[in-house]
Amino acid sequence: GAVGRRANVAMLSDIAVRTDGRTPAMMRQMHMERDCLERATGSARWEQDRSVVYAAVYGPMEIRAGKQDTDKLVIEVVVRPASGAPSSADKEREVTIRRALEHVVKTAAHPRCGIRVVLQTVSSDGGIDAILLNAACAALIDASVDVTGVLCASSLAVLPGVGVVVDPTEDEETAATATATMAYNFRGEGVANENGDGGLLPAMAAPEAEAEVLTTLTRGVFSEEAFLEMTVTGRDAAAAAFTFMMEAHDRYLAAQEAHMTTGLTARIEALALELEREQRGA
């Protein structure tokens, strides 16, 4: 099911100086839905205001001999824009996301196999690189792919007269002197899901734990002070996304358990009624 949360990260300012009324440290409300695409092994929908992405994971599965790696799983990433053909920027995103996922997925667990991660942008209003990464991780979790941790990312921008802001809109990115996307791996030991398969969520992963830096992409010109502020703020924003993802995961499992319990109760009642009818007939 879909859940949402608005996060306020880092102690930057309590003054709403952004055009949409947010403080510099405030993220847009996050919504996530799991298991939303029927034919995929795992899927997720990630939304932050008008930036919306669907992610689908296919596999692990056997792949052609020419694409196999005898030692590890091969990850393929496809990024599709909201309209038109993929651009050079989309191709760069595919490489960045694949490299990040290779650090998170336990690739040695599935030699000679592959997974395909398809990311479809529905609409984009800023922060799309981080949203693509977060959606990809959510879909991997939904597919029960073995992972070393939870990949969470954040987007930032340096606005003239304002400073570092979290989760910028497209207008803010255009006005910014610099932008950044930072991805982290909140590590932990994998735990089994209800089917006994690996890695829904790492048990030891926690937002307050030291996160492994996976990717830092920056564009534009910024001071050393601004970069240091971006690293701290970016990590806090990624931790907020991590906490949101954990809460969404817990709600999803609770809903699944309630659905299974309701179905089991209905079957027991039906069997009891059938048995009572048979006894009356006898």
Side-chain angles (χ1 to χ4, degrees):
V3 295
R5 176 181 178 179
R6 184 180 293 277
N8 191 32
V9 300
M11 299 300 292
L12 291 180
S13 172
D14 293 327
I15 303 173
V17 294
R18 302 166 73 174
T19 56
D20 58 7
R22 288 184 290 153
T23 63
M26 185 177 290
M27 299 173 68
R28 293 170 292 183
Q29 189 170 21
M30 293 176 283
H31 294 272
M32 189 188 79
E33 182 180 356
R34 278 179 56 175
D35 192 23
C36 51
L37 300 173
E38 290 185 1
R39 297 183 180 180
T41 310
S43 59
R45 180 183 186 274
W46 193 286
E47 173 187 339
Q48 286 175 225
D49 197 18
R50 288 179 291 181
S51 291
V52 182
V53 169
Y54 277 92
V57 171
Y58 302 90
M61 57 190 174
E62 291 186 8
I63 56 176
R64 295 200 308 268
K67 290 189 174 182
Q68 288 180 0
D69 189 315
T70 56
D71 298 320
K72 63 181 181 179
L73 177 79
V74 174
I75 300 175
E76 178 190 8
V77 175
V78 179
V79 174
R80 295 173 177 165
S83 61
S87 64
S88 59
D90 293 318
K91 295 301 179 183
E92 291 176 5
R93 290 184 175 107
E94 291 176 353
V95 174
T96 300
I97 295 169
R98 174 177 58 78
R99 288 175 177 170
L101 295 181
E102 286 173 345
H103 284 284
V104 174
V105 174
K106 294 182 178 180
T107 55
H110 301 280
R112 301 181 185 276
C113 294
I115 58 171
R116 193 167 194 251
V117 182
V118 180
L119 298 162
Q120 174 68 61
T121 300
V122 177
S123 57
S124 177
D125 184 24
I128 199 66
D129 289 331
I131 293 170
L132 287 166
L133 284 160
N134 291 334
C137 181
L140 285 173
I141 291 171
D142 190 56
S144 298
V145 174
D146 287 318
V147 291
T148 63
V150 179
L151 165 64
C152 291
S154 59
S155 292
L156 305 109
V158 181
L159 295 181
V162 179
V164 176
V165 299
V166 175
D167 189 22
T169 63
E170 190 172 45
D171 287 343
E172 288 177 326
E173 288 177 339
T174 301
T177 58
T179 60
T181 300
M182 299 184 177
Y184 300 83
N185 183 18
F186 293 85
R187 299 180 63 88
E189 294 300 321
V191 296
N193 63 17
E194 63 272 13
N195 297 320
D197 300 325
L200 274 179
L201 291 176
M204 300 302 293
E208 64 274 10
E210 188 63 32
E212 175 189 7
V213 179
L214 296 179
T215 302
T216 300
L217 298 175
T218 59
R219 300 179 182 89
V221 179
F222 45 84
S223 65
E224 181 179 351
E225 181 182 357
F227 178 74
L228 291 174
E229 187 175 349
M230 281 194 289
T231 59
V232 174
T233 308
R235 195 269 180 203
D236 289 345
F242 170 85
T243 301
F244 164 74
M245 199 179 296
M246 299 303 95
E247 292 175 352
H249 172 70
D250 290 342
R251 294 185 187 187
Y252 175 81
L253 290 186
Q256 292 291 100
E257 183 177 352
H259 178 74
M260 292 176 61
T261 301
T262 301
L264 180 61
T265 301
R267 288 196 296 271
I268 292 174
E269 290 176 348
L271 287 172
L273 183 60
E274 183 178 348
L275 180 61
E276 182 180 348
R277 289 173 178 172
E278 289 179 354
Q279 290 175 342
R280 288 177 179 176

